[in-house]
Amino acid sequence: MPHRQAQTAPPPRLYVEWVAVALAATALVVALVLGRLTERLDHIIYDNVLTAAGRPPPDDIVIVAIDNRSLQALGRWPWPRRLHAAALDRLAEAKVRAVGYDVLFVEPTGEDGILAAAVRRSPTYLPMVIDVPGPNGAPYAMALPAGPLADAATAIVQVNLHFDGDRVIRRAYLEEGGEGRSWLQLAAVMAGLKPQGGAIGKDGLWQARPVLIPYGGTAGHIRTISFVDLIEGRVPPEMLTGRHVLIGATADGMGDSYPTPTSGATSQMPGVEIQAQLLDALLRQKAITPASQTVTLVTSLAALWIMLLAFLRLSPGANANLALALLLALPLLSLALFAFLNFWLPPSAALIALLFGYPLWGWRRLHAISGYMTAELRILESESDALPRQRRVGGEREITLQTSLLGDAIDRLRDLRRFLSDAIGRLPDAVYVTGLDGTLALSNVEGRRLARRLGLKAETGGDARLLMDCFRSADSGHISPFAPDAPATGAGEAVTEDGGCFEIRYVAQRDATDTQVGWIIRVVDISPLKQAERHREEALQLLSHDMRAPQSAILSLLRGPETGVPKPIATRIENLATHTLQLAEDFVQLARAEAKPLTMEPIDLNDVTIDAADALWPTARARGIKVMVEGADDMPHMVDGDRQLLTRAVMNLVGNAIKYSDEGMVVRCVLEERDERIILAIVDQGIGMTEEERSRLFERFQQGSREGIGLGLAFVRTVIGRHRGRIACDSTPRQGTTFTIDLRKSDFDPFADEE
């Protein structure tokens, strides 16, 4: 099975489910707000808030009520207009601030002049009638106060009230208009508001400046006096002086009463008192501004999307807390806006969206995660491993199947943990697994033994930093991951006070999300290896110096003027001494090629080949052989390698080609690039080799058909092998030999600085 990386992000299906929930919840909010589907619920909340708020009765507003007692005393309705004039005269005598006469005088009578004269004595506002629809298909019709009354009034006003869907009066439009004119609400004019006329150019009847009436109490909240008491002089003038007076009907059967949020389920409030309640709110700047559909929609969507985005970022517990906080914050926000800013923001749509979105997301999230977990457990179940295990018997139902698969996964994890514990415990090297702070999480037997040797303990929970402080770096490597400048991976040699020599390697330990959680440290005791290396260096020193010195002395004596040794014997001794020197040199070079640390750098194989040919030019000239380098002028042939070792390896191959070629022949060194590889072919026209000779070609101490090969080709194979390259030989007896070196091309670009 291919390796599967651990997924740190949620499964893609979870995002699909989130998008579906987000779209459904958003559509619900839009439908609730634009369709006014939560209006009834918002009215219930508003009514209760309004009832709880309450206000004391105003001292500057008085209602003159046309009540049942007045009808009994003054006669049936409608009254003659001289009675209304008498009431206005009483008010003028008391010097009231203004009079709002909430009675329609649209039908002309013979007493209109008397009433008009009384109207002029005080600031008096008379209402008009707007009928919707109007006659003959007109959208509306207006009826102004009759005759001279329209001119006598301080202003003509409208007293329209608007029912909500449950037939309760909660709101009023402070300004209405049509046909290029606008009329303020009676209470608005008495409160001193001016018309804005923002919709004067609009066709038909229009309403503007909506407000919610903040009723201060139930019917009778405003101070009320009987009309008959005013007429008959039983009302003290000081009760009216400087006050706003509204005159209107409160008697049973006159039809001017309406249900309001504070009037209760069985009672109603007269229209004149509704006007008085609105006037009280406007005078004290307590009128409630209702939020528009746009503001309600934006607020509801904002609350919803805060929760939706949190679904992707927060944990389930944090999401639950956030949802609860939003459910509490929205009503509190509405209450705060109502209490401090006189602004009403209906919370129902947002609350319903939250109550809908949270459980819907929880259901879809669990469904997506359940499906994802089942799929992943099935994949895990199908993956093979080297650990034998017993499988649990699963059922067909989803919960039974998931339980079985999860149980198998847990068993597998426990088996793997036991396997790793046993494997690490039996390693021959000391191994420590630590946290980022150096706390030991795991150590094997060798690790505990090494710690005891250093006078420390390596138990779980111990401090690995104390252990690493016992080692002193013997080279430039990094041996402790706890050093301030330590990289994520380090290696180096270290020594201890008791003379031990160790190789220390460490790597960062990461979890399935690729987050570093600790360190894995391996400590290898290389004291025996170092001792063997010292013995080896001593042997090489013996070969390279102590054994070569006598041989060189022999050659010097034989080449002196008078040796006394017969010429044939001297020549034979000289050849044997020379062969011994060459064999010692080759052995030393081979040993160093096997053990010497490589100094890797980008090098041009063209230069290496040319240097080798130049170094062997005297030898080639002495034998009458020409060495040619082909392909070096085309382009650089860059490889990563140790220049010294590669140069000597090429010299060995070119030297052998010269050695086994006859006078007048040509040795060709051909360079080319092939499939991101650099190929160097050394071709001679010499004696060639048989199949048997080629089979033992790179072995130590082998000889060719003419001269001893020694260790030169073994050195070449060692160098090329350490460079992770390949060397091949193709030879035919009496036709020549071709040695081919195949090295990986370097990533270094020699022309990078020129671009």
Side-chain angles (χ1 to χ4, degrees):
M1 295 292 293
H3 175 67
R4 303 176 71 252
Q5 293 183 349
Q7 295 187 8
T8 59
R13 181 176 175 182
L14 197 62
Y15 288 112
V16 175
E17 298 287 353
W18 180 87
V19 171
V21 170
L23 292 177
T26 301
L28 176 64
V29 170
V30 173
L32 291 175
V33 175
L34 299 185
R36 300 182 181 275
L37 302 180
T38 61
E39 194 173 65
R40 292 289 182 93
L41 181 59
D42 287 323
H43 288 339
I44 294 174
I45 298 174
Y46 173 79
D47 293 349
N48 284 277
V49 172
L50 186 63
T51 302
R55 281 196 317 277
D59 186 57
D60 57 350
I61 300 175
V62 177
I63 296 175
V64 177
I66 303 173
D67 53 7
N68 293 334
R69 192 161 63 87
S70 298
L71 291 176
Q72 291 174 357
L74 300 176
R76 60 183 301 178
W77 188 264
W79 291 332
R81 292 186 180 175
R82 55 183 173 79
L83 288 178
H84 298 291
L88 288 174
D89 289 340
R90 293 285 188 183
L91 296 176
E93 293 173 358
K95 298 182 180 180
V96 297
R97 179 176 298 181
V99 178
Y101 219 119
D102 189 13
V103 176
L104 297 176
F105 299 106
V106 296
E107 297 177 358
T109 68
E111 297 179 347
D112 289 344
I114 299 173
L115 180 58
V119 166
R120 289 188 179 94
R121 293 188 183 98
S122 300
T124 304
Y125 304 96
L126 298 180
M128 59 180 290
V129 176
I130 302 177
D131 290 329
V132 179
N136 301 321
Y140 66 93
M142 296 182 301
L144 298 176
L149 295 177
D151 295 331
T154 304
I156 304 299
V157 297
Q158 50 94 5
V159 289
N160 296 333
L161 298 174
H162 296 271
F163 291 100
D164 286 326
D166 56 357
R167 306 301 298 173
V168 175
I169 300 295
R170 294 184 181 86
R171 71 184 64 229
Y173 290 96
L174 298 183
E175 189 172 359
E176 296 189 14
E179 297 182 354
R181 293 177 294 175
S182 66
W183 305 277
L184 288 176
Q185 181 72 235
L186 172 60
V189 174
M190 295 184 71
L193 273 65
K194 303 297 181 181
Q196 295 179 352
I200 284 181
K202 185 177 179 181
D203 295 335
L205 188 66
W206 50 265
Q207 295 87 29
R209 302 166 69 179
V211 295
L212 293 171
I213 304 172
Y215 296 97
T218 60
H221 179 72
I222 306 295
R223 177 185 298 178
T224 303
I225 61 176
S226 180
F227 191 93
V228 66
D229 291 338
L230 176 65
I231 291 293
E232 296 178 356
R234 290 192 292 270
V235 178
E238 59 270 15
M239 183 182 293
L240 301 172
T241 302
R243 289 173 171 80
H244 299 277
V245 177
L246 289 97
I247 304 175
T250 64
D252 296 337
M254 294 193 69
D256 193 25
S257 60
Y258 309 93
T260 66
T262 60
S263 62
T266 59
S267 63
Q268 295 183 337
M269 183 177 292
V272 66
E273 185 164 359
I274 294 176
Q275 292 290 339
Q277 296 265 15
L278 178 57
L279 175 59
D280 179 32
L282 293 174
L283 288 173
R284 287 153 186 79
Q285 299 182 352
K286 294 293 184 180
I288 306 300
T289 302
S292 65
Q293 276 191 335
T294 301
V295 173
T296 304
L297 180 61
V298 170
T299 303
S300 302
L301 289 177
L304 173 65
W305 275 89
I306 288 174
M307 185 179 70
L308 289 173
L309 294 175
F311 288 157
L312 297 177
R313 305 292 298 177
L314 303 181
S315 65
N319 280 323
N321 293 332
L322 177 63
L324 181 60
L326 289 174
L327 289 172
L328 294 175
L330 286 171
L332 292 177
L333 175 63
S334 293
L335 291 176
L337 293 175
F338 178 89
F340 300 107
L341 298 180
N342 300 320
F343 185 86
W344 175 244
L345 178 65
S348 299
L351 293 175
I352 291 175
L354 294 177
L355 292 173
F356 170 79
Y358 183 77
L360 179 63
W361 167 249
W363 168 47
R364 297 313 304 168
R365 176 178 177 274
L366 288 176
H367 188 271
I369 292 178
S370 175
Y372 172 75
M373 184 180 70
T374 301
E376 289 295 308
L377 289 174
R378 285 185 179 276
I379 293 174
L380 181 62
E381 182 73 12
S382 65
E383 292 177 351
S384 61
D385 54 37
L387 302 179
R389 51 194 171 95
Q390 296 180 350
R391 299 178 183 270
R392 302 192 183 194
V393 179
E396 296 295 331
R397 296 184 178 180
E398 183 177 5
I399 186 65
T400 307
L401 176 63
Q402 287 182 348
T403 302
S404 175
L405 292 174
L406 185 59
D408 284 338
I410 293 174
D411 291 342
R412 192 171 184 178
L413 180 62
R414 288 170 176 164
D415 293 342
L416 181 61
R417 184 173 62 181
R418 177 62 182 271
F419 170 77
L420 291 176
S421 178
D422 292 345
I424 293 177
R426 291 181 172 85
L427 286 176
D429 303 326
V431 177
Y432 306 97
V433 180
T434 78
L436 291 174
D437 60 351
T439 302
L440 270 171
L442 180 67
S443 62
N444 63 354
V445 175
E446 289 299 322
R448 292 189 289 272
R449 182 179 293 118
L450 176 60
R452 288 194 298 271
R453 170 181 166 183
L454 299 175
L456 298 172
K457 292 184 178 180
E459 304 297 333
T460 301
D463 193 347
R465 291 174 295 185
L466 300 177
L467 179 66
M468 300 309 298
D469 289 341
C470 296
F471 297 97
R472 186 178 72 256
S473 178
D475 54 20
S476 59
H478 294 274
I479 63 172
S480 175
F482 309 113
D485 58 343
T489 301
E493 292 185 5
V495 295
T496 57
E497 292 183 357
D498 61 0
C501 188
F502 299 86
E503 181 189 57
I504 301 178
R505 293 180 178 270
Y506 68 85
V507 296
Q509 181 192 4
R510 301 183 182 276
D511 60 13
T513 64
D514 201 36
T515 301
Q516 184 177 350
V517 295
W519 303 98
I520 301 175
I521 306 172
R522 190 193 71 170
V523 182
V524 182
D525 188 353
I526 58 173
S527 301
L529 181 62
K530 283 295 182 179
Q531 184 177 5
E533 190 174 305
R534 287 193 294 270
H535 293 166
R536 183 173 180 229
E537 288 297 325
E538 293 172 356
L540 291 178
Q541 180 69 22
L542 176 66
L543 285 173
S544 61
H545 182 268
D546 297 342
M547 290 186 64
R548 291 179 62 177
Q551 303 297 324
S552 300
I554 292 173
L555 291 175
S556 298
L557 291 173
L558 292 175
R559 293 169 182 168
E562 295 181 2
T563 61
V565 180
K567 184 66 173 178
I569 295 176
T571 300
R572 186 175 180 183
I573 293 174
E574 182 178 353
N575 289 337
L576 290 174
T578 301
H579 184 77
T580 301
L581 283 174
Q582 184 63 43
L583 185 62
E585 177 66 16
D586 289 346
F587 184 82
V588 170
Q589 293 298 331
L590 176 60
R592 288 178 176 169
E594 292 175 339
K596 172 191 173 185
L598 297 180
T599 304
M600 303 297 286
E601 60 178 328
I603 58 176
D604 189 351
L605 201 57
N606 298 347
D607 297 340
V608 171
T609 306
I610 292 173
D611 289 346
D614 291 344
L616 293 171
W617 179 80
T619 303
R621 182 183 181 188
R623 296 181 62 95
I625 295 172
K626 185 177 182 181
V627 179
M628 300 179 59
V629 179
E630 303 176 7
D633 297 333
D634 297 341
M635 59 183 298
H637 294 87
M638 304 302 297
V639 297
D640 293 323
D642 187 303
R643 178 180 294 273
Q644 180 182 1
L645 291 178
L646 284 178
T647 301
R648 186 169 187 86
V650 175
M651 286 180 61
N652 283 0
L653 293 177
V654 175
N656 281 344
I658 295 173
K659 185 188 303 183
Y660 291 105
S661 296
D662 294 330
E663 183 178 354
M665 291 184 176
V666 177
V667 174
R668 297 170 53 236
C669 302
V670 183
L671 285 156
E672 62 177 328
E673 180 179 337
R674 188 187 309 158
D675 298 331
E676 296 299 314
R677 310 286 295 185
I678 303 299
I679 310 299
L680 170 60
I682 299 173
V683 185
D684 66 50
Q685 300 170 322
I687 62 175
M689 290 177 285
T690 64
E691 185 69 26
E692 181 180 358
E693 289 174 332
R694 282 196 295 121
S695 65
R696 304 190 307 272
L697 186 62
F698 296 104
E699 296 179 6
R700 299 186 181 192
F701 307 110
Q702 298 300 315
Q703 293 182 342
S705 56
R706 284 177 54 177
E707 299 180 30
I709 296 176
L711 300 173
L713 291 180
F715 172 85
V716 173
R717 182 185 64 176
T718 299
V719 171
I720 300 303
R722 291 193 67 188
H723 283 77
R724 297 187 178 182
R726 299 186 293 267
I727 184 168
C729 176
D730 184 20
S731 182
T732 303
R734 295 180 300 279
Q735 295 185 14
T737 300
T738 299
F739 283 93
T740 304
I741 295 175
D742 182 346
L743 295 173
R744 182 183 177 277
K745 182 182 178 182
S746 174
D747 295 330
F748 174 77
D749 185 0
F751 303 110
D753 295 338
E754 300 178 5
E755 296 179 353

